[in-house]
Amino acid sequence: MKIIVIGSGGREHALAWKLLQSPEVEQVFCIPGNGGTAILPQCENIPITMEDFAEISRFAQENSVDLVVVGPEYPLSLGITDYLLSQEITVFGPTQTGALIESSKSWAKELMSEAGVITAASETFTDAELAKTYIQEQGAPIVVKADGLAAGKGVIVAETVDTALEAIDDLFTSGFTKVVVEEFLEGEEVSILTLTDGISFRSLLPAQDHKRIGEGDTGKNTGGMGVYAPAPIATATIIEAVDRDILAPIVATLQKRGIDYRGVLYAGLMISPAGEPKVLEFNCRFGDPETQAVLPLLETPLAPLLLACAQQKLTDFPSLQWRSGSAVCVVAASAGYPDHYEKGQLITGIKAAETAGAIVFHAGTVLKHGDIFTDGGRVLGVTAMGSNFNQAIELVYQSVNRIHFEGIYYRRDIGHRVREK
C-alpha cells in the first residue's frame, strides 16, 4: 500500500509512524509533513498545500496511492473528502457535511439533541449583546465557544461573568459571527477517539488531555500540553454507556440524515462525580496530542483498520488488540505559546531522548541542512510507555529533559491525576 497523510503536526507524524508499522504499507507521503516525517524511513514530504485539492488528487493518481488519511479538521471542513471521492480516490475522513460536527458547535448541538445525547445546556447567539444578557442572567462559571474552527483555542471556560463578557467581545472582534454559550459541567474530562465507517464503530483507548498552559491546569487553553492513556476515569461501565448512549445514537442519526461519515468521531466528554458521561464537544478527526499516546499502545495494524473504515467494511474487522501498560505524552512548546512565539530555534537532544526510551513525535518542526528547527507553537510530543503510569511518567520526563531549544517550555505535571504518590 501507498498512503498519503494530510497535515503537518504531531498527530500526522504519529499517524505516518504507525501506518508504516503495517506490513502492507511500503510508502507514506506526507502533505506537507514536518521535520519528523522528513527523516522517517519510507516517508516523504510532498510540498503541496493542504488546500490544493486538485494537486493532491493529481499526485495521488500519478503515484497509485491506495488511501488518503486526512489529519486536520481544516481541509475536512473545506470538503477535501468530497473532492477526492469525486476523483475516485479512497479517503479516511468525513465529508464536508460530516465535518460540521466540529466546524459548527451549534450544528453539533442540534445533532446531539436529535440523537438524544446528553450534553451541556446551551444557547446559540449571532448577536453579542443578546449573548451578554444571557450570560448575566445565567451567572458564572460558564463556557463560551466560538461557532467555527479555532485550532483548539475557541473555548473559554469563564470563572467570572466579566471574563465571559470579555470572551464574547474577543470572539466577535476576531471575526466569528456566532457563539455558543453553555453551562459549566463539573467533573473530569476524557477523550474517546472512535473509528467509524458510517455504519459500525470501534472506539480506541480513552485518553485524558491537559489543555491549560500552566501547571496545576491553570492559565489559557491550548491545543493540548500533554496526555495519558488509557484514562482510568473511563471505567468499563462508563465506556459501555458511552458506546450505547452517545456513539451509537450519533452514528445512527448521521446515517438517518444521509451523511456518509467514514473517519474519526472524537468525543470530548465530561465524566461527572457520579460517573455519568456528558458530551462537551465532538471533533471530526484524531485528537492532538491524544493520538501520540493512544497509537503507540495499539497492536492492531493501523492501515487495514483505516482502510476498512474507508471501504465500509468495519463490521467484519477483527477486535482491536492493545498492549498492556500506560502511555504518557509531554508536549514541548515554544516560549510564549499559546500567544506570540518565535520560530527558527535549533533543537538538540532528540536522539538522546529516543535512546532513553521515548518516541519523539515532531509537531512544529522543520528540517534544514540536516538540522531540526522549531517551526510552531507546539514543537514536539515526547511519548513514553511503561507497565504503569509512574513508570511511563518517570521515563517521559527523563527523555524530555534531554531535549533543548531556546525558550523550551513544557508542563512538569502531566499525569498528575494518575501518579501514585
Side-chain angles (χ1 to χ4, degrees):
M1 284 179 76
K2 291 181 182 177
I3 299 178
I4 288 174
V5 173
I6 305 286
S8 61
R11 164 185 50 219
E12 287 74 36
H13 187 185
L15 285 166
W17 169 84
K18 191 65 184 178
L19 286 164
L20 283 163
Q21 292 172 16
S22 303
E24 304 87 341
V25 177
E26 64 173 63
Q27 176 80 49
V28 170
F29 302 104
C30 286
I31 295 178
N34 61 34
T37 54
I39 57 176
L40 191 61
Q42 293 168 268
C43 187
E44 185 184 346
N45 286 355
I46 306 299
I48 302 172
T49 64
M50 292 188 287
E51 300 88 350
D52 193 344
F53 300 166
E55 194 59 23
I56 292 168
S57 170
R58 183 195 62 76
F59 180 87
Q61 288 165 336
E62 283 182 5
N63 290 275
S64 306
V65 165
D66 301 283
L67 177 66
V68 176
V69 177
V70 187
E73 62 276 16
Y74 183 57
L76 291 167
S77 74
L78 294 179
I80 187 170
T81 298
D82 309 68
Y83 183 88
L84 295 177
L85 290 176
S86 76
Q87 307 300 304
E88 299 184 346
I89 294 164
T90 306
V91 188
F92 177 85
T95 59
Q96 189 171 27
T97 308
L100 283 168
I101 203 163
E102 178 166 0
S103 63
S104 173
K105 299 285 185 204
S106 56
W107 189 91
K109 285 286 188 185
E110 287 165 17
L111 183 80
M112 285 185 256
S113 174
E114 187 181 331
V117 164
I118 299 175
T119 181
S122 69
E123 292 290 339
T124 302
F125 299 93
T126 52
D127 181 286
E129 293 312 311
L130 289 177
K132 288 179 179 180
T133 302
Y134 178 77
I135 287 165
Q136 284 162 332
E137 288 167 358
Q138 297 298 312
I142 197 162
V143 181
V144 178
K145 295 182 174 182
D147 190 77
L149 297 180
K153 303 185 201 81
V155 177
I156 299 92
V157 179
E159 301 289 343
T160 65
V161 167
D162 284 348
T163 307
L165 299 178
E166 196 180 305
I168 295 292
D169 286 334
D170 288 347
L171 291 175
F172 277 102
T173 307
S174 303
F176 291 101
T177 56
K178 194 186 284 188
V179 297
V180 173
V181 182
E182 65 178 37
E183 71 169 317
F184 172 79
L185 297 179
E186 294 277 359
E188 269 193 60
E189 284 189 48
V190 71
S191 308
I192 295 184
L193 311 179
T194 298
L195 310 183
T196 180
D197 62 358
I199 298 166
S200 65
F201 62 88
R202 302 286 173 87
S203 292
L204 305 185
L205 290 178
Q208 190 167 82
D209 187 11
H210 299 60
K211 279 269 184 256
R212 303 294 190 107
I213 188 71
E215 285 165 23
D217 300 313
T218 57
K220 290 189 175 179
N221 262 350
T222 70
M225 291 304 296
V227 65
Y228 58 83
I233 185 77
T235 61
T237 307
I238 286 173
I239 299 235
E240 204 177 292
V242 170
D243 281 358
R244 181 188 66 238
D245 303 332
I246 295 171
L247 295 167
I250 287 290
V251 170
T253 305
L254 287 166
Q255 215 179 335
K256 193 174 87 177
R257 286 189 175 193
I259 297 168
D260 190 357
Y261 196 109
R262 306 184 195 191
V264 180
L265 267 174
Y266 165 137
L269 307 170
M270 184 66 82
I271 311 299
S272 76
E276 183 188 26
K278 292 185 179 183
V279 179
L280 291 171
E281 63 177 0
F282 277 107
N283 293 323
C284 63
R285 38 73 194 180
F286 283 102
D288 187 345
E290 289 94 339
T291 304
Q292 292 91 298
V294 172
L295 288 188
L297 293 169
L298 179 66
E299 285 193 334
T300 298
L302 186 62
L305 175 57
L306 300 190
L307 190 63
C309 291
Q311 294 178 336
Q312 214 156 61
K313 294 177 179 173
L314 190 58
T315 309
D316 304 323
F317 200 83
S319 299
L320 302 187
Q321 300 300 308
W322 298 94
R323 57 184 290 174
S324 60
S326 313
V328 177
C329 174
V330 172
V331 171
S334 296
Y337 175 79
D339 297 318
H340 176 75
Y341 53 85
E342 288 183 8
K343 299 180 181 181
Q345 308 295 342
L346 176 68
I347 306 171
T348 59
I350 291 174
K351 279 199 169 56
E354 290 170 337
T355 305
I359 309 159
V360 181
F361 294 116
H362 294 233
T365 71
V366 63
L367 177 69
K368 285 183 189 170
H369 315 299
D371 287 320
I372 300 287
F373 294 86
T374 66
D375 195 42
R378 291 188 297 167
V379 177
L380 300 167
V382 181
T383 300
M385 288 177 285
S387 57
N388 55 49
F389 281 116
N390 277 15
Q391 212 178 68
I393 291 166
E394 191 176 330
L395 180 54
V396 80
Y397 280 108
Q398 280 175 11
S399 304
V400 80
N401 287 337
R402 298 180 179 206
I403 296 171
H404 303 281
F405 57 84
E406 186 69 34
I408 184 171
Y409 170 76
Y410 52 89
R411 281 181 54 172
R412 289 168 170 79
D413 66 343
I414 300 301
H416 61 88
R417 285 193 183 90
V418 290
R419 188 196 288 269
E420 290 177 16
K421 303 293 186 282

